[in-house]
Amino acid sequence: MDTKWTFIVEKSQDILSGQIESKRALQNAAGVILGFISVFFSVFISVIEKADYFIKVLSIAPLIFLVFGLVRLIQVLRTNDLFQGSNVSKLESLIQASELEIARNELALNKRSVEKNIDVMHKMHGRYNDAILLIGIAVIVATILLFVNIFIPNGAN
C-alpha cells in the first residue's frame, strides 16, 4: 500500500482521537466545577441563612444563575458518545479487500465520524461556555453578598 494512504489514514485517526480526548477533558472539567460549586454554595447557603432578610432575598439571584449553570454542566456530562470511525458490520466484507480498499474505507469512516463529531463538540462547548458564564455570575454575586453580609451590620441581631 502507498505510504501516502497510510499517512492520511493515520492523520484522520489522530484527528478523531483528538476529538475524543477533547470531549473527555471537557467532561472532566465539568465534573471538577460541579464539585467546587457544591462546596462553595453549601458554605454560601449556611452563611446566608443567618443574614438579614434583604440579603436572603437578594441571594435568590445567584441561586437562579447557579441552577441554570448546573443544568448546562449536566448537559455537558450527558452528551452523546462521539462517532469513533469503526464500523463492525463492514469488517467481514473487508477480509477479502486489498489494503488500499481497506485504507479508503477507513479514511471514509474516519472522515464521516469527524464531520459528525464537529456538531456534537460545538454543542458541547457551547453548553460548557454557557455554564461557565452562568456559574461565574452566580459566584461573583454570591461573593458580593457574602461581603455585604459581613461588613454591613445585621439588623436582625
Side-chain angles (χ1 to χ4, degrees):
M1 179 171 61
D2 190 3
T3 57
K4 175 179 81 171
W5 280 100
T6 305
F7 176 76
I8 293 171
V9 168
E10 287 176 2
K11 286 298 176 189
S12 69
Q13 289 171 340
D14 290 346
I15 293 169
L16 203 50
S17 295
Q19 285 180 329
I20 293 166
E21 287 303 314
S22 176
K23 177 186 183 241
R24 288 182 184 147
L26 209 54
Q27 286 180 322
N28 285 339
V32 168
I33 292 168
L34 281 171
F36 165 75
I37 292 304
S38 66
V39 171
F40 180 82
F41 273 90
S42 297
V43 170
F44 172 72
I45 289 173
S46 68
V47 170
I48 292 299
E49 188 177 338
K50 300 171 188 119
D52 202 29
Y53 177 76
F54 182 68
I55 299 289
K56 287 180 183 178
V57 170
L58 289 178
S59 68
I60 293 171
L63 292 175
I64 290 171
F65 282 109
L66 174 72
V67 168
F68 285 114
L70 292 177
V71 166
R72 297 304 271 178
L73 276 182
I74 290 170
Q75 288 174 337
V76 168
L77 291 174
R78 293 182 44 94
T79 300
N80 294 337
D81 289 335
L82 296 178
F83 297 93
Q84 298 190 15
S86 308
N87 189 345
V88 179
S89 64
K90 286 195 171 189
L91 288 179
E92 196 170 313
S93 66
L94 293 175
I95 291 174
Q96 301 298 324
S98 69
E99 287 183 22
L100 183 60
E101 288 176 44
I102 293 171
R104 284 181 178 166
N105 183 58
E106 187 172 352
L107 183 60
L109 286 173
N110 289 348
K111 181 179 181 274
R112 208 167 327 139
S113 294
V114 167
E115 289 169 350
K116 288 181 180 180
N117 290 346
I118 287 172
D119 291 336
V120 174
M121 292 302 294
H122 279 298
K123 286 179 186 174
M124 193 172 174
H125 280 279
R127 290 173 180 159
Y128 181 80
N129 291 337
D130 290 348
I132 295 300
L133 177 66
L134 292 167
I135 290 172
I137 292 170
V139 168
I140 290 169
V141 173
T143 304
I144 291 170
L145 288 175
L146 288 174
F147 280 117
V148 167
N149 186 49
I150 290 170
F151 294 115
I152 292 183
N154 192 344
N157 289 337

